[in-house]
Amino acid sequence: MFDDVAARYDVMNDVLSLGQTRRWRKIVVDAVGAKRGQRVLDLAAGTGTSSEPYADAGIGVVACDFSQGMLNVGKRRRPDIDFVAGDATNLPFADDSFDASTISYGLRNVSDPKRALAEMLRVTKPGGTLVIAEFSHPTFAPFRTVYTEYLMRALPPVAKKLSSNPTAYVYLAESIRAWPNQDGLAAWIEEAGWESCRYRNLSGGIVAVHRATKPLA
């Protein structure tokens, strides 16, 4: 499915988020807080758009995704970034390989999100950081109703005009509606072994950025 939408994936994200993805991406990078000399795992990186800020800052970043089509698009655009095909539930990296692990808008598409959280814990160094940006639940009830209607009614016709596979975006809308709320995801993160999980709501809770730390011992 994701191979089919790879070519126009970034354009679709900008349109459907009303241009908010770039602001959200900057907030994620700031939350990761990586420095030169450190190594970041950017999981479900797709075409590598989310990996570019790290590479541009001289930070070692591995863009990992299960979609070869997405990775191929990214490699053509940014050959300087290390693109690796991998399954989030069985990552092809050694224990304690990264100073930080991050995933943006991809955890809900993993077959076993809790297993993916455990895998990210495994490959992150003790004291390292987890940052997750994911679509969530608007905190204001009337707005939440409007937002849900937008997802299911407005998104498919827009996707039909702009995407080669509009069916994929119907699935994305349904997956957003079924995803746990902010506190629910925080509970999953801590159950996986991460500690001190906190989250920040963006755009009224359309997106939430969760941040946690791997225990030192």
Side-chain angles (χ1 to χ4, degrees), residues 24 27-28 31-32 105 130-134 136 182 185 198-202 207-211:
W24 295 340
I27 290 170
V28 170
V32 171
Y105 320 111
L130 171 74
V131 175
I132 298 172
E134 189 53 86
S136 196
Q182 291 86 328
L185 179 54
R198 301 288 185 272
Y199 62 81
R200 173 183 175 183
N201 287 315
L202 307 180
V207 164
V209 176
H210 286 69
R211 188 179 191 276

Side-chain angles (χ1 to χ4, degrees), residues 39-43 45-48 51-52 55 59-65 71 74-75 78-85 92-93 98:
R39 196 164 180 241
V40 174
L41 171 63
D42 186 16
L43 190 56
T47 61
S51 306
E52 290 178 352
I59 296 163
V61 60
V62 175
C64 182
D65 199 280
L71 295 174
K75 287 176 183 178
R78 289 297 299 261
D80 58 313
I81 293 176
D82 186 12
F83 287 90
V84 176
F93 308 111
F98 299 94

Side-chain angles (χ1 to χ4, degrees), residues 84-119:
V84 176
D87 179 354
T89 65
N90 187 23
L91 291 171
F93 308 111
D95 295 357
D96 306 336
S97 295
F98 299 94
D99 296 282
S101 293
T102 182
I103 182 169
S104 294
Y105 320 111
L107 188 60
R108 75 184 187 285
N109 298 320
V110 176
S111 59
D112 187 346
K114 293 183 179 181
R115 176 62 186 166
L117 290 169
E119 274 292 275

Side-chain angles (χ1 to χ4, degrees), residues 165-182:
N165 186 357
T167 303
Y169 287 92
V170 174
Y171 156 76
L172 291 175
E174 292 173 346
S175 71
I176 291 170
R177 292 209 309 176
W179 190 246
N181 65 16
Q182 291 86 328

